[in-house]
Amino acid sequence: MRGDILLVEDDDSLSRAVSLTLTNEGYRVYTAGTAGETRALLSAVDPKLIICDINLPDGNGLDLCAEIRRESDVMFLFLTALDGESDIINGYGAGADDYITKPFSMSVLVSKINAIMKRYSTDNNTIVSGDIEYISGENRTKKRGEYLRLTANEQRLLEYFMTNPMRILSKSQLLEALWDIDGSFVDDNTLAVNIRRLRSKIEDDPSDPTYIKNVRGLGYIWERSCKRT
């Protein structure tokens, strides 16, 4: 998975087309049709990029961008029919990283997004959650400033949890994350053992975890917010 994208577009057909294209490019895409839906999603997910129209049913994308900018440095791209010079200037003034006008070429959009995401991965390579700090550039983790000794499986699991916080992750999703390491076979028992070992290293009290929690019958959840720095 190349990263999470939040697409804010009230045109359902266009939203589906862009979402499908980006999904085929390897991104996970969340969609919203209004400013209100966007705020609700941002309380649960941590996208690397927001693609947003300016004219929204319940507000203005410029105001939404400025609002998000006060709380986050997430990459932001306007995708809008407003193509005047003043519109573009206002878009960048609100805090956008890029501005694309409709109608647009899907291949150009994908190229722009790939460039933005590459810049993001270079500039934002640390995720912080409580006392835990994951440094993606080093693929290492700290707890209260001290490096942890994690196995490859434990490190991969922690990365997957911290890049998908506040979301219930099924066992199959987590098993797939472990499979990606070297293609070796993994099963439910392997997953359970690695989660238990990871908890023993990141939790103050593994018997009463505050980070990785079981969701009975569904999987696990990283139950702390995460912030990129």
Side-chain angles (χ1 to χ4, degrees):
M1 192 65 62
R2 299 178 67 179
D4 292 353
I5 293 175
L6 173 55
L7 173 63
V8 187
E9 173 58 63
D10 64 323
D11 183 326
D12 290 340
S13 60
L14 178 58
S15 179
R16 285 194 296 270
V18 173
S19 179
L20 178 61
T21 298
L22 295 180
T23 299
N24 289 338
E25 286 289 318
Y27 296 105
R28 181 189 289 110
V29 183
Y30 300 92
T31 59
T34 67
E37 290 177 2
T38 302
R39 295 185 185 97
L41 269 173
L42 287 175
S43 68
V45 302
D46 182 27
K48 293 183 178 180
L49 170 67
I50 297 175
I51 304 171
C52 187
D53 198 353
I54 289 181
N55 292 322
L56 300 173
D58 60 343
N60 184 298
L62 295 172
D63 295 334
L64 181 62
C65 179
E67 175 187 328
I68 292 171
R69 269 286 168 264
R70 289 193 289 269
E71 303 293 333
S72 171
D73 59 357
V74 60
M75 293 289 183
F76 204 104
L77 183 154
F78 278 119
L79 184 62
T80 176
L82 300 179
D83 59 359
E85 182 178 348
S86 61
D87 296 316
I88 297 172
I89 290 173
N90 288 337
Y92 284 111
D97 295 282
D98 215 329
Y99 194 107
I100 296 179
T101 58
K102 304 173 184 176
F104 62 93
S105 161
M106 195 68 78
S107 60
V108 170
L109 175 64
V110 170
S111 295
K112 290 262 192 181
I113 290 171
N114 288 341
I116 288 174
M117 297 297 260
K118 182 178 180 181
R119 188 163 70 245
Y120 184 101
S121 63
T122 300
D123 295 341
N124 300 271
N125 62 355
T126 300
I127 306 175
V128 178
S129 181
D131 296 327
I132 306 300
E133 181 180 356
Y134 169 63
I135 305 99
S136 62
E138 302 177 7
N139 197 31
R140 300 181 70 187
T141 302
K142 292 180 179 179
K143 178 178 180 179
R144 299 191 183 104
E146 298 292 329
Y147 282 107
L148 298 176
R149 289 189 175 183
L150 302 181
T151 66
N153 277 338
E154 292 162 359
Q155 186 66 68
R156 179 68 176 131
L157 275 175
L158 182 133
E159 176 192 8
Y160 195 73
F161 275 120
M162 292 187 72
T163 52
N164 295 277
M166 311 298 289
R167 294 180 58 222
I168 297 173
L169 301 174
S170 67
K171 288 183 179 180
S172 61
Q173 287 175 300
L174 295 168
L175 287 170
E176 184 177 347
L178 289 183
W179 185 281
D180 286 343
I181 294 175
D182 57 13
S184 58
F185 177 74
V186 290
D187 55 20
D188 284 3
N189 184 61
T190 302
L191 175 63
V193 168
N194 278 278
I195 287 180
R196 184 170 66 250
R197 290 175 176 170
L198 179 58
R199 278 175 169 160
S200 72
K201 297 176 181 180
I202 67 172
E203 302 282 2
D204 290 334
D205 181 1
S207 65
D208 184 23
T210 60
Y211 293 102
I212 303 173
K213 293 195 175 185
N214 292 66
V215 182
R216 186 179 297 276
L218 296 176
Y220 299 87
I221 185 171
W222 184 277
E223 204 170 65
R224 296 287 293 271
S225 61
C226 292
K227 181 178 181 180
R228 292 181 181 271
T229 61

